[in-house]
Amino acid sequence: MCLLHVFKKYSSQFGFNILAAHFEHGLRAEASLRDAAFVESFCRREGIACRVEYGSVPDARMTGESVETCARRLRYQFLERIDDSAWIATAHNADDNAETMLLALARGTGLKGLGGIPPVRGRIIRPLLDVTRSQIEAYLKREAIPFVTDETNLEDAYSRNRIRHLAIPALTGVDPSAVTVMKRCADSLREDEACLDALAREALTGFDGLAADCAPLTAAHPAIAKRAIRLLVERWGCLHAEKRHIDALYDGLTAGCNVNLPGGLIVRVEAGRVYPVFHKLTETAYDDKTDRYALGAAVILLETADADLILPLSRKQLSLSGYADADALSGAVFRLPAPGDTFLHGGTGRRIRLGAYLARVGVPAGQRASVPVLCRDHHVLWSAYAGVSGEALAAAGTSRPVRIYVQKERF
């Protein structure tokens, strides 16, 4: 209510429109419905556009998901689909930030968790993050702004509430400005996090979209290398790798290793490369109206090319990029390699087993089964590390040439 009042007060001066968005989680029966009605009534009286949506957290919870996590997921999904071009302003304050930092500390975290709540994340902005809860309450009282209290915030059933009711008062008893000081600390830690993150990304210069070279990682400081490894496994779809997983991969950079990560992902270090191993993947049919395909750890991009401007590619570039005749790709599917797959080498005109060709160009044995391919039956029309097959190559006079390649930059 404080945020809404401030935005309404300054919207004309700064020339922006506001819309109040309220999600009713279906958790507190009549009290929850009362809150939604309160928001609608206030906005109607003040002439503020309002959108209310009703959901059911108990029905939407995923396996292993807490009530709080599910409620947050549904709430942000609602906010993000209202208008994909608008900023989303939430009323998180300095006390919320302090609680988040303490929760992260209690559960075990690094700099990212201790950095608290970011002021900006994508389209989400938090204008009140430097303001304490007591300052907000004083503002509400001074401006006579009505509000309601969520009764569950008064209970100690939730971890955040126990921190709010017990830990924060204890800290402010030591130093009345503890919440403000923690916000300054979080700001500094986020700066450090951003710096270390940038260094970790630099250590991934050997990443080709599918695998990364071990050499830059082993040359980096362990803290940087481990951050880079975490970026890799997150890129490959594992967002909840534990410290022991990252440490195991780091220790295996020189000797090789095979590490099972949460969610079924397997990451292997072999022959100076670190890469994901997939055993099953859903086939995806090629469609000349689609320009992006996600295939396990790889993102394959296709873009229309000008036949007169097709540039010669080096052997290294050809391994992950090439020009194909779109008409020759009709009926093909993206999938993982299968026994019997063959590749027509454009230079020699010879058809060879794909596995043998990948071995020839230096793809480690363990990675060959996870290399994305575009096939019709067992004829490989394109493969990462092999490029475009001779039977699909764009040539002079090709009416619909397309460039097909693996996306590299996703960090």
Side-chain angles (χ1 to χ4, degrees):
M1 295 304 295
C2 173
L3 181 67
L4 185 59
H5 185 270
V6 170
F7 270 30
K8 183 175 186 295
K9 183 176 180 179
Y10 291 103
S11 59
S12 297
Q13 180 180 344
F14 291 100
F16 59 83
N17 298 318
I18 57 173
L19 181 146
H22 179 86
F23 187 78
E24 197 276 300
H25 301 87
L27 285 172
R28 296 182 292 117
E30 291 301 318
S32 188
L33 294 172
R34 174 207 66 194
D35 292 353
F38 166 80
V39 171
E40 287 183 300
S41 175
F42 178 85
C43 289
R44 189 164 46 249
R45 187 168 65 250
E46 297 294 326
I48 299 171
C50 180
R51 182 82 59 84
V52 175
E53 184 169 302
Y54 298 82
S56 174
V57 169
D59 294 337
R61 284 178 67 186
M62 298 178 176
T63 303
E65 190 178 40
S66 69
V67 170
E68 294 160 290
T69 299
C70 179
R72 184 182 186 280
R73 175 173 58 81
L74 294 181
R75 182 166 62 250
Y76 276 100
Q77 286 173 350
F78 160 61
L79 293 172
E80 288 172 351
R81 66 173 172 263
I82 290 176
D83 182 347
D84 60 11
S85 64
W87 292 101
I88 300 169
T90 67
H92 291 96
N93 57 59
D95 289 67
D96 294 324
N97 183 70
E99 294 161 12
T100 298
M101 293 173 70
L102 292 174
L103 268 173
L105 182 62
R107 291 168 176 168
T109 187
L111 282 182
K112 188 172 183 178
L114 289 176
I117 303 172
V120 180
R121 180 173 61 83
R123 292 193 293 130
I124 300 169
I125 59 174
R126 299 177 171 106
L128 301 182
L129 206 54
D130 284 323
V131 184
T132 66
R133 183 173 287 114
S134 61
Q135 290 173 322
I136 289 172
E137 291 171 348
Y139 180 86
L140 293 172
K141 183 177 181 180
R142 185 174 69 250
E143 299 292 331
I145 303 168
F147 64 93
V148 294
T149 299
D150 179 348
E151 295 89 343
T152 61
N153 285 339
L154 305 176
E155 302 169 1
D156 282 343
Y158 300 107
S159 301
R160 182 176 288 274
N161 285 2
R162 291 197 294 275
I163 287 177
R164 179 177 300 160
H165 300 152
L166 302 172
I168 297 295
L171 287 172
T172 54
V174 174
D175 182 346
S177 62
V179 167
T180 303
V181 171
M182 289 178 70
K183 173 61 172 57
R184 290 202 299 268
C185 175
D187 292 342
S188 295
L189 292 176
R190 278 198 306 276
E191 287 183 354
D192 293 346
E193 168 73 13
C195 175
L196 293 171
D197 212 43
L199 293 173
R201 294 169 196 274
E202 288 179 11
L204 291 172
T205 51
F207 178 71
D208 63 16
L210 294 170
D213 292 332
C214 292
L217 298 175
T218 54
H221 187 282
I224 301 301
K226 290 178 183 180
R227 279 174 170 271
I229 291 170
R230 185 173 292 280
L231 286 173
L232 278 175
V233 300
E234 289 177 355
R235 157 72 160 81
W236 293 329
C238 180
L239 302 179
H240 303 291
E242 298 175 12
K243 184 178 183 298
R244 60 189 176 90
H245 300 123
I246 304 301
D247 287 346
L249 285 168
Y250 175 74
D251 292 341
L253 287 176
T254 51
C257 65
N258 206 58
V259 178
N260 294 297
L261 286 97
L265 177 67
I266 301 172
V267 176
R268 182 172 296 168
V269 179
E270 179 188 9
R273 304 275 279 163
V274 52
Y275 55 85
V277 178
F278 292 90
H279 299 297
K280 293 181 180 180
L281 216 57
T282 303
E283 290 188 356
T284 304
Y286 165 76
D287 177 357
D288 60 7
K289 295 180 178 61
T290 302
D291 58 7
R292 183 182 187 278
Y293 298 83
L295 197 71
V299 175
I300 314 302
L301 301 177
L302 287 91
E303 59 186 33
T304 302
D306 187 327
D308 296 327
L309 298 176
I310 292 178
L311 301 174
L313 300 173
S314 67
R315 172 178 286 187
K316 184 175 182 180
Q317 288 174 315
L318 280 169
S319 68
L320 291 166
S321 174
Y323 294 100
D325 182 345
D327 294 327
L329 305 180
S330 177
V333 296
F334 285 101
R335 61 168 171 79
L336 295 180
D341 285 349
T342 60
F343 180 80
L344 183 64
H345 191 279
T348 64
R350 293 177 52 231
R351 184 170 292 281
I352 55 179
R353 287 187 303 107
L354 177 65
Y357 186 82
L358 294 177
R360 184 187 303 174
V361 297
V363 179
Q367 191 184 357
R368 292 170 209 156
S370 295
V371 169
V373 297
L374 178 60
C375 290
R376 188 186 302 108
D377 298 324
H378 284 290
H379 284 204
V380 176
L381 305 179
W382 172 87
S383 165
Y385 301 115
V388 179
S389 166
E391 59 190 301
L393 271 173
T398 298
S399 60
R400 293 201 304 147
V402 293
R403 182 183 174 219
I404 177 170
Y405 60 101
V406 177
Q407 183 182 44
K408 286 182 60 177
E409 304 302 332
R410 291 194 67 208
F411 295 106

